[in-house]
C-alpha cells in the first residue's frame, strides 16, 4: 500500500516539476481565479451585512432599544430610567426619544417621514447622526424651532429618491411640519446622510418641540430609549443585565429591527449559493478538461506504465494527486490574494455602494468550506478522465489498436 | 616405483572425478536448455478493424527454453508483434493459451497479469517508450519502486544496470537529452533491472542505425550468454538473426514450415 502511494506521489511530483510548466501555471491560475470568485461574493455579502449592521447600530437603534410596555404609548419617568440604565458598567450612553410620523412641506412639495424628538447631547452619545451632517450643523440643547433633515427628505446631496423629496431644501430654509393636525414652521439647521436611505428619510427636532406638538410637555415621556454599549458587548447579555435591573419595558436588540435588511441579506445569500454552484461547476469542467487533455497526451505513457506492471489505481492516483496539488496551490494563492491583498485594500479604500461604503470581509470558515468544495471538484474532475483512460486496453493505449 | 604407481593411480582417480564433474555440468546445461519457459499453445488472435475481422494469428504453437535467445521473423503483417504481445502477456489471445514458467497466464485476471509482468517480464519497445519526465535512473527504477524495494536498493540497482549498458555517467539525464541508441540502452536497462525471467524486445533496432543496432544486439547477446537471460525478439533484419540461437518464422499468422 505504502509503495503504491510512493509511486503515485513520485509520478505526480515528476510530472509537475518536469512537465509542461505553461499548463501547470495556467491550471493553477485558473483555479486561483475560481477560488477568488467563490470567496469574493461571500466576502462582499459579509461586508454588506457588516455595513447594514453598522448603519443600524450607528444611526438608528444603538445596541439595544427600550420600548413602552405592552399597550402603553410612552415610557414614563424616562430620565430616571436612563440614569438607571447608565449605571450599568458597559453602557456608554442612552438617548430618550419621542418618535412620530409627520408631514413635511416646502414650497409646493410635501412628503411624509419619521420625526424624532431628541436631546441632542444624549443622542451624540448613542448615534453618529452628528457626524453624518453634510450641510449646516447638528442640533444643540437650547435650539428650538430648528430641524435636521435627512437628505431623502431635503432632496439634493445625491438623494436616492429625489423625486419623492422636498426637492432641494437648503440649510436656512424654512419647512412646515404637521404632526397630528398641528403645523409648525422649522428652520433647517442641518442636513445629514448616513447613505442608508431608510435612515435618511427622517428628521430630528428638539424633544421639547415635539413634546409641545404632541401635547405632552414636561411629563418626562419617551417612546424609545436607545442604549449604546461598549464595543464587543453581547446584546443579549445587555438585555439580561437590563432585566435584572428591573426594567419592565420591552427590551429589543438591534437585530430585531433589521427585518428588511435580513431579507436583503437572505436574498443575496441565495444568489451567493447559486453563484457558488456555478463556480464549482466551472471548476469541475476546467479541471476535467485540463486533466483530460493532459492524460490524452500521455496515453502511450500510461500504456507503457501499465505494461511494465504499474497498477492502474497507482496511475489514476498520480493524476488525482496532480489535480489536488493544482487545487491546493490555487486555494493558497487565492486565499493569500484575498487575505493580504484585496481585503486590506478595500479596508483602506472602501468601495462606494448605494448603501454607503463597503469593505470586503473574509470569513475563514467560508473560505475553508469553498476550499474543500474546490478540492472535491478537483478530485472528481480528475478521477473520471484518469480512470476512463487507465482502464483502456493496453494495446489500445500503446499502439492505438 | 611404489610412489610412481601411487601417483598414477591418484592421477587416474583425479581424471575420473574431473570427468564426472564435466558430465554433471553437461547434464545440468542440457536440463537447463531443455527447460521450457514459455509454452504457447494454439494461439489464435483476431482483431476487428471496422467491419472486417483480421486473423493476425491462426493457431500458433511455440516453445521457448530457458536461456534461449529467440528471434521472431517474418514479413510485414505476418503477426510477429502480435505473437510477441501474446507471449509477453501484453494481450490476451482469443483462444489457445500461454504458459510461462509453469503459470497459465490465460487464466490470470488483469490485475494479476500486471503483477506477473512487474515481477517476471521485461520489455524493450521499438521507440524506447521511456517516460519523458523521468531521468534515466528513474525510468529504470520505477518498476523496482513498484515492487516495494527500498530507496537504497532501487537506486543502486539502477546505477548498476545502467553502468552495465554503458550509461553509468548519465543516470540523471532526461531521455530528451539522449541519442536514440542511448535511449534504447536505458530501455534495455529498465527491462532488465528487476532481473526478469524473460526479456521481450519488439524490433529494438528499428529506429537505430546499423552501428548502434550492433551495440544493442551485442548487449542482448552479452546478457544472454553471461547471465543466461531468456530473450524473445521480433526483428525483420536477417543479420540480427545471427545473434540468436533460433528463429521462429511466421507467415500469414502461422508458423512457416
Amino acid at each position: 500500500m505504502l509503495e503504491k502511494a510512493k509511486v503515485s506521489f513520485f509520478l505526480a511530483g515528476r510530472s509537475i516539476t518536469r512537465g509542461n510548466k505553461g499548463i501547470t501555471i495556467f491550471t493553477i491560475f485558473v483555479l486561483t481565479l475560481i477560488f477568488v470568485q467563490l470567496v469574493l461574493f461571500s466576502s462582499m455579502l459579509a461586508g454588506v451585512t457588516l455595513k447594514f449592521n453598522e448603519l443600524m447600530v450607528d444611526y438608528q437603534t444603538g445596541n439595544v432599544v427600550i420600548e413602552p410596555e405592552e399597550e402603553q404609548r410612552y415610557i414614563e419617568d424616562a430620565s430616571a430610567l436612563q440614569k438607571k440604565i447608565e449605571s450599568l458598567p458597559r453602557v456608554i450612553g442612552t438617548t430618550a426619544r419621542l418618535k412620530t410620523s409627520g408631514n413635511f412641506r416646502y414650497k409646493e412639495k410635501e412628503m411624509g417621514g419619521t420625526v424624532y424628538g431628541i436631546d441632542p447631547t444624549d443622542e451624540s452619545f448613542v448615534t453618529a447622526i452628528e457626524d453624518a451632517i453634510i450641510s449646516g450643523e447638528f442640533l444643540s440643547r437650547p435650539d428650538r424651532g430648528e430641524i435636521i433633515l435627512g437628505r431623502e427628505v431635503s432632496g439634493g446631496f445625491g438623494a436616492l429618491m429625489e423625486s419623492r423629496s422636498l426637492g432641494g431644501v437648503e440649510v436656512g430654509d424654512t419647512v412646515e411640519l404637521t404632526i397630528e393636525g398641528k403645523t409648525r414652521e422649522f428652520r433647517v439647521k442641518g442636513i445629514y446622510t448616513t447613505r442608508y436611505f431608510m435612515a435618511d428619510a427622517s428628521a430630528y427636532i428638539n424633544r421639547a418641540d415635539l413634546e409641545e406638538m404632541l401635547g405632552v410637555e414636561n411629563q418626562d415621556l419617551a417612546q424609545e430609549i436607545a442604549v449604546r454599549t461598549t464595543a464587543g458587548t453581547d446584546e443579549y447579555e445587555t438585555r439580561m443585565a437590563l432585566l435584572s435591573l428591573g426594567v419592565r419595558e420591552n427590551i429589543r436588540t438591534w437585530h430585531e429591527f433589521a427585518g428588511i435588511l435580513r431579507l436583503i441579506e437572505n436574498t443575496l445569500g441565495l444568489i451567493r449559493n447559486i453563484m457558488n454552484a456555478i463556480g464549482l461547476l466551472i471548476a469541475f469542467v476546467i479541471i476535467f478538461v485540463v486533466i483530460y487533455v493532459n492524460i490524452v497526451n500521455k496515453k502511450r505513457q500510461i500504456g507503457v506504465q501499465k505494461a511494465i506492471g504499474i497498477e492502474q489505481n497507482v496511475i489514476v492516483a498520480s493524476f488525482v494527486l496532480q489535480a489536488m496539488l493544482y487545487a491546493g496551490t490555487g486555494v493558497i494563492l487565492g486565499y493569500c490574494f484575498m487575505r493580504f491583498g484585496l481585503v486590506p485594500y478595500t479596508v483602506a479604500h472602501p468601495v462606494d455602494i448605494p448603501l454607503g461604503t463597503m469593505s470586503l470581509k473574509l470569513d475563514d470558515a467560508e473560505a475553508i468550506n469553498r476550499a474543500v468544495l474546490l478540492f472535491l471538484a478537483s478530485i472528481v474532475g480528475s478521477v473520471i478522465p484518469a480512470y476512463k483512460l487507465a482502464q483502456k486496453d493496453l494495446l489500445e493505449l500503446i499502439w492505438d489498436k | 616405483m611404489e610412489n610412481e604407481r601411487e601417483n598414477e593411480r591418484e592421477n587416474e582417480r583425479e581424471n575420473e572425478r574431473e570427468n564426472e564433474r564435466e558430465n554433471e555440468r553437461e547434464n545440468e546445461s542440457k536440463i537447463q536448455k531443455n527447460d521450457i519457459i514459455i509454452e504457447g499453445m494454439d494461439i489464435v488472435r483476431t482483431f476487428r478493424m471496422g467491419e472486417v475481422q483480421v486473423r493476425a494469428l491462426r493457431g500458433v504453437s511455440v516453445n521457448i527454453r530457458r536461456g534461449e535467445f529467440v528471434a521472431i521473423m517474418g514479413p510485414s503483417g505476418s503477426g510477429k508483434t502480435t505473437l510477441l504481445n501474446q507471449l509477453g502477456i501484453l494481450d490476451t489471445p482469443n483462444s489457445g493459451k500461454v504458459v510461462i514458467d509453469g503459470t497459465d497466464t490465460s487464466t490470470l485476471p488483469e490485475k494479476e497479469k500486471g503483477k506477473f509482468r512487474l515481477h517476471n517480464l521485461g520489455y524493450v519497445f521499438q521507440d524506447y517508450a521511456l517516460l519523458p519526465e523521468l531521468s534515466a535512473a528513474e525510468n529504470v527504477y520505477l518498476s523496482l519502486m513498484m515492487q516495494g524495494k527500498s530507496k537504497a536498493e532501487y537506486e543502486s540497482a539502477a546505477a548498476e544496470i545502467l553502468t552495465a549498458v554503458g550509461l553509468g555517467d548519465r543516470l540523471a539525464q532526461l531521455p530528451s537529452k539522449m541519442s536514440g541508441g542511448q535511449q534504447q540502452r536505458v530501455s534495455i536497462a529498465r527491462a532488465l533491472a528487476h532481473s526478469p525471467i524473460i526479456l521481450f524486445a519488439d524490433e529494438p533496432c528499428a529506429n537505430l542505425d546499423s552501428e548502434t543496432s550492433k551495440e544493442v544486439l551485442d548487449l542482448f547477446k552479452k546478457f544472454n550468454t553471461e547471465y543466461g537471460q531468456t530473450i524473445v525478439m521480433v526483428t525483420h533484419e536477417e543479420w540480427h538473426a545471427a545473434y540468436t540461437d533460433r528463429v521462429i518464422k511466421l507467415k500469414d499468422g502461422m508458423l512457416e514450415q
Side-chain angles (χ1 to χ4, degrees):
Chain A
M1 189 66 201
L2 199 66
E3 63 267 19
K4 287 181 192 173
K6 206 168 136 185
V7 175
S8 293
F9 272 103
F10 175 73
L11 289 172
R14 291 296 183 271
S15 184
I16 288 165
T17 53
R18 296 193 189 138
N20 189 321
K21 298 274 187 296
I23 290 177
T24 305
I25 292 167
F26 171 75
T27 311
I28 291 173
F29 177 69
V30 170
L31 288 167
T32 304
L33 287 185
I34 290 171
F35 180 75
V36 168
Q37 187 260 330
L38 287 176
V39 294
L40 185 64
F41 202 74
S42 298
S43 303
M44 282 169 64
L45 188 64
V48 170
T49 308
L50 191 71
K51 193 71 201 171
F52 281 161
N53 298 346
E54 279 173 11
L55 288 169
M56 283 298 295
V57 175
D58 290 348
Y59 296 110
Q60 278 206 304
T61 61
N63 299 93
V64 173
V65 176
I66 292 158
E67 292 182 330
E69 287 179 68
E70 291 287 317
E71 294 175 15
Q72 295 289 321
R73 197 171 169 204
Y74 296 106
I75 299 168
E76 291 173 359
D77 288 329
S79 48
L81 184 56
Q82 274 183 277
K83 281 202 179 68
K84 205 168 163 184
I85 295 166
E86 281 165 10
S87 70
L88 286 173
R90 290 194 166 178
V91 171
I92 294 171
T94 62
T95 176
R97 297 168 179 158
L98 285 170
K99 180 181 162 189
T100 187
S101 55
N103 195 59
F104 303 98
R105 186 182 170 87
Y106 176 68
K107 294 180 181 169
E108 298 307 311
K109 296 199 83 175
E110 277 186 57
M111 74 168 287
T114 308
V115 181
Y116 291 94
I118 55 164
D119 177 323
T121 316
D122 285 355
E123 189 68 30
S124 300
F125 279 107
V126 179
T127 61
I129 294 290
E130 190 177 353
D131 302 328
I133 296 289
I134 44 173
S135 180
E137 286 172 18
F138 191 57
L139 294 171
S140 58
R141 213 170 231 168
D143 288 342
R144 298 295 297 266
E146 301 209 81
I147 191 166
I148 304 292
L149 298 177
R151 71 171 179 185
E152 299 298 337
V153 178
S154 68
F157 305 101
L160 296 174
M161 289 174 284
E162 182 71 36
S163 60
R164 208 177 142 258
S165 72
L166 296 179
V169 178
E170 288 180 1
V171 171
D173 290 344
T174 303
V175 293
E176 278 181 14
L177 175 60
T178 306
I179 291 170
E180 294 187 354
K182 285 185 193 169
T183 303
R184 251 188 81 175
E185 284 192 343
F186 283 86
R187 180 187 159 270
V188 178
K189 191 180 182 189
I191 293 168
Y192 74 90
T193 178
T194 62
R195 310 192 72 170
Y196 171 35
F197 69 94
M198 285 175 75
D200 289 353
S202 306
Y204 291 82
I205 58 176
N206 213 304
R207 196 166 138 207
D209 282 335
L210 194 51
E211 279 178 354
E212 217 175 271
M213 290 186 84
L214 292 171
V216 292
E217 304 100 305
N218 303 319
Q219 291 179 39
D220 199 13
L221 298 177
Q223 269 158 327
E224 64 180 32
I225 296 174
V227 180
R228 181 82 179 193
T229 54
T230 51
T233 308
D234 182 68
E235 280 78 18
Y236 297 96
E237 276 176 26
T238 310
R239 178 192 239 159
M240 294 312 288
L242 290 168
L243 284 172
S244 59
L245 261 184
V247 175
R248 283 171 296 142
E249 281 75 8
N250 200 3
I251 305 166
R252 296 167 75 186
T253 67
W254 65 266
H255 299 277
E256 295 167 54
F257 292 87
I260 188 166
L261 299 184
R262 287 287 97 81
L263 211 66
I264 297 169
E265 201 185 313
N266 291 342
T267 310
L268 291 175
L270 191 72
I271 297 169
R272 176 196 58 186
N273 290 341
I274 293 167
M275 286 185 70
N276 277 342
I278 294 169
L280 281 173
L281 196 69
I282 295 169
F284 172 80
V285 170
I286 288 174
I287 293 165
F288 186 94
V289 170
V290 168
I291 297 288
Y292 188 76
V293 170
N294 193 11
I295 62 176
V296 163
N297 284 331
K298 290 183 174 175
K299 195 174 164 189
R300 182 134 204 273
Q301 288 182 45
I302 293 172
V304 172
Q305 287 175 27
K306 277 183 81 173
I308 64 172
I310 309 297
E311 281 182 28
Q312 186 179 311
N313 49 12
V314 170
I315 298 169
V316 172
S318 75
F319 285 104
V320 175
L321 282 170
Q322 279 181 63
M324 284 170 74
L325 199 108
Y326 291 148
T329 314
V331 164
I332 291 167
L333 289 178
Y335 182 83
C336 289
F337 173 70
M338 289 296 289
R339 172 63 73 207
F340 306 112
L342 206 54
V343 172
Y345 180 81
T346 60
V347 170
H349 307 90
V351 183
D352 270 324
I353 58 167
L355 276 174
T357 55
M358 187 266 303
S359 304
L360 295 176
K361 187 172 181 285
L362 183 59
D363 180 15
D364 282 343
E366 290 253 332
I368 291 169
N369 175 283
R370 301 298 175 271
V372 169
L373 289 174
L374 195 63
F375 249 87
L376 291 177
S378 75
I379 291 171
V380 178
S382 55
V383 162
I384 295 172
Y387 183 76
K388 278 189 80 169
L389 206 65
Q391 220 187 10
K392 284 196 173 187
D393 188 65
L394 244 177
L395 294 188
E396 200 179 331
L397 290 168
I398 302 180
W399 290 284
D400 221 1
K401 275 186 186 167
Chain B
M1 278 296 276
E2 190 63 29
N3 277 347
E4 274 179 16
R5 255 187 254 118
E6 187 58 35
N7 281 340
E8 273 173 21
R9 275 200 295 273
E10 187 54 40
N11 283 338
E12 276 170 19
R13 277 200 294 273
E14 186 53 42
N15 284 337
E16 275 170 18
R17 279 200 292 273
E18 187 54 42
N19 286 337
E20 274 171 18
R21 279 201 291 270
E22 188 62 36
N23 286 338
E24 271 174 23
R25 272 202 295 272
E26 269 179 23
N27 285 338
E28 263 179 28
S29 176
K30 272 180 193 162
I31 289 166
Q32 188 108 6
K33 281 276 179 186
N34 290 325
D35 183 9
I36 303 294
I37 196 162
I38 307 177
E39 203 178 354
M41 285 171 270
D42 201 19
I43 300 167
V44 174
R45 184 65 173 111
T46 310
F47 294 109
R48 176 175 280 277
M49 294 180 88
E51 293 298 305
V52 189
Q53 291 267 2
V54 180
R55 297 188 71 193
L57 294 175
R58 306 167 180 227
V60 176
S61 296
V62 287
N63 285 338
I64 293 165
R65 288 184 293 274
R66 197 183 295 275
E68 235 186 340
F69 186 177
V70 176
I72 301 174
M73 298 186 77
S76 291
S78 58
K80 304 183 294 286
T81 298
T82 307
L83 178 61
L84 189 90
N85 291 340
Q86 313 309 309
L87 300 179
I89 63 167
L90 293 173
D91 192 17
T92 309
N94 297 85
S95 67
K97 61 181 178 179
V98 177
V99 178
I100 299 178
D101 206 20
T103 304
D104 181 358
T105 60
S106 56
T107 60
L108 292 177
E110 272 308 309
K111 201 174 173 184
E112 290 305 310
K113 277 187 184 174
K115 274 189 187 163
F116 192 86
R117 288 196 297 265
L118 176 69
H119 290 279
N120 302 303
L121 310 178
Y123 304 90
V124 176
F125 298 98
Q126 186 176 326
D127 61 353
Y128 335 127
L130 297 174
L131 302 178
E133 286 145 4
L134 304 188
S135 69
E138 288 164 348
N139 262 292
V140 171
Y141 65 58
L142 183 62
S143 54
L144 298 172
M145 265 181 106
M146 190 67 211
Q147 284 182 359
K149 296 266 194 297
S150 72
K151 191 170 191 278
E153 278 177 307
Y154 61 66
E155 279 184 348
S156 68
E160 197 178 310
I161 193 81
L162 279 167
T163 307
V165 298
L167 293 173
D169 56 342
R170 289 175 188 271
L171 302 183
Q173 196 127 39
L174 290 174
S176 56
K177 300 272 191 287
M178 291 177 169
S179 68
Q182 286 170 333
Q183 287 188 57
Q184 195 58 300
R185 279 191 276 163
V186 175
S187 170
I188 293 167
R190 176 179 67 184
L192 293 170
H194 56 293
S195 309
I197 53 176
I198 309 156
L199 173 71
F200 294 95
D202 184 10
E203 302 206 33
C205 305
N207 294 338
L208 305 175
D209 59 41
S210 49
E211 191 57 37
T212 319
S213 297
K214 196 175 168 303
E215 284 171 22
V216 167
L217 291 168
D218 284 339
L219 259 178
F220 280 156
K221 193 68 193 166
K222 173 183 154 188
F223 281 101
N224 175 249
T225 49
E226 289 181 18
Y227 306 103
Q229 178 67 53
T230 310
I231 301 174
V232 181
M233 175 178 77
V234 168
T235 181
H236 58 263
E237 297 277 354
E238 286 296 336
W239 67 272
H240 293 180
Y243 285 84
T244 63
D245 301 329
R246 181 160 67 97
V247 175
I248 295 169
K249 287 209 166 181
L250 285 178
K251 192 179 179 187
D252 299 330
M254 290 187 288
L255 287 180
E256 203 175 31
Q257 297 305 310

